[in-house]
Amino acid sequence: MSLFRDDGVVLRAQKLGEADRIITLLTRQHGKVRAVARGVRKTKSKFGARLEPFSHVDVQFFSRGSELVGRGLPLCTQVETIAPYGGSIVTDYGRYTAGTAMLETAERFAENEGEPAVQQYLLLVGALRTLAAGLHESHLVLDAFLLRSLAVNGYGASFTDCAKCGLDGPNRFFSLPAGGVLCADCRVPGCAVPSPETLVLLGALLSGDWQTADACEPRYWREGSGLVAAYLQWHLERGIRSMRYVEK
C-alpha cells in the first residue's frame, strides 16, 4: 500500500454507484490517472466541488500496490485547490465549449495511463489559465492549444517554410499529410489554398504571438479553425467530439 501526491487537472468525472465518482486527471508526474473519489456526490462531501472538470488541484492518492497506476483504481484521499478555473469557464458558453475541447484533446494525447506527459500538462494548465482570464477570444486560445499540443506530440505544422523541401516562405499550399505549407514545386493533389492572412494567424498562434493573432480580422478565424480541426483529426485519426459545439 502506497501514498502518492501530484498536481493535476480534472479532465472528467463519471458517476460510480450512488455517492462516488471516477475522476480522470492529467497529472504532472504520472500523466493520465483515473481514481475513485468516495462520497463526493454527497452534499456533506469535503472536497467534491474541488474535483470538477477544469479544476487545477493538488491530490493525494492511495494505491494498494507499489505503483500509482496498477490493476485497480487508486483512491483520492485528499484534494487541495490550486486554481479553480472552472468558475470562470462554465459561466461563458464560448469559454466552456473551448475548454471542453481542450480537456478532451489533452486526454486523447495522454492515452496511456501512468506515462508522464509533462509538456501536455503544462500546455493545458497555461491554456485554461488564459481561457479563464478572458484575455483573448476563446476559439483563438483553443486553436493555439491544439497547434501546440500537436507540436509537442511530434506533429508540429509549418505555416511559412515548405514542409517538404524547407524553401523559405511564405508558401501558399497547405497539405495535411505533408505537415503544413508546401511550395509550388512540392505541391501535391488535394492541397488547400488558404488566405495568406490565415497562415499568418496560425503561425502567430503556434508561436504565441498574441499581438498579431488578436489583430487578425475575424473573417480569417473560421478558415484557420477549420484547418486546425482538420489537421488535428488527421493525426488523431478521428475527431474531437466536443469540437462541434465550439463557437466560431
Side-chain angles (χ1 to χ4, degrees):
M1 298 183 181
S2 306
L3 289 176
F4 298 85
R5 198 168 195 100
D6 207 345
D7 298 349
V9 174
V10 179
L11 302 179
R12 57 191 173 101
Q14 302 164 272
K15 293 182 180 179
L16 178 65
E18 295 184 358
D20 306 337
R21 280 195 175 120
I22 296 177
I23 309 297
T24 303
L25 305 101
L26 180 60
T27 66
R28 181 188 295 268
Q29 300 177 42
H30 300 90
K32 187 171 78 170
V33 174
R34 292 189 306 141
V36 174
R38 289 181 174 169
V40 294
R41 290 163 57 199
K42 295 180 180 179
T43 56
K44 296 182 180 180
S45 172
K46 294 182 179 179
F47 55 82
R50 302 173 193 169
L51 289 173
E52 294 294 332
F54 306 113
S55 296
H56 187 200
V57 292
D58 178 354
V59 188
Q60 179 175 278
F61 301 99
F62 172 80
S63 175
R64 297 187 182 278
S66 59
E67 301 290 336
L68 176 57
V69 177
R71 293 183 179 180
L73 296 180
L75 300 178
C76 293
T77 57
Q78 186 177 354
V79 182
E80 299 294 337
T81 300
I82 298 175
Y85 296 126
S88 299
I89 292 175
V90 300
T91 56
D92 180 90
Y93 182 77
R95 294 180 195 172
Y96 175 75
T97 53
T100 301
M102 290 179 189
L103 298 186
E104 185 180 349
T105 301
E107 184 172 2
R108 290 283 296 278
F109 274 122
E111 285 190 333
N112 298 323
E113 294 185 35
E115 290 188 4
V118 179
Q119 288 182 300
Q120 188 65 66
Y121 164 80
L122 294 175
L123 273 176
L124 181 59
V125 172
L128 292 178
R129 183 189 303 119
T130 302
L131 189 66
L135 300 176
H136 310 284
E137 293 287 341
S138 57
H139 59 85
L140 292 181
V141 178
L142 171 61
D143 287 343
F145 171 77
L146 297 179
L147 289 171
R148 295 177 199 179
S149 293
L150 284 159
V152 301
N153 285 281
Y155 308 118
S158 173
F159 297 110
T160 53
D161 299 343
C162 178
K164 188 173 182 180
C165 71
L167 179 70
D168 292 343
N171 292 289
R172 296 189 57 199
F173 308 103
F174 188 87
S175 170
L176 299 178
V181 292
L182 297 175
C183 64
D185 292 337
C186 296
R187 179 183 181 183
V188 295
C191 282
V193 188
S195 302
E197 293 84 357
T198 299
L199 295 175
V200 170
L201 168 63
L202 296 180
L205 292 175
L206 179 59
S207 65
D209 181 1
W210 283 107
Q211 184 175 359
T212 298
D214 290 336
C216 186
E217 295 182 28
R219 58 178 168 161
Y220 302 116
W221 295 349
R222 185 180 295 275
E223 185 178 38
S225 293
L227 288 177
V228 173
Y231 193 64
L232 178 69
Q233 183 172 347
W234 174 268
H235 287 290
L236 290 180
E237 299 182 351
R238 63 181 191 272
I240 298 296
R241 290 176 297 175
S242 51
M243 288 287 286
R244 70 187 72 172
Y245 303 111
V246 175
E247 283 190 330
K248 297 294 194 303

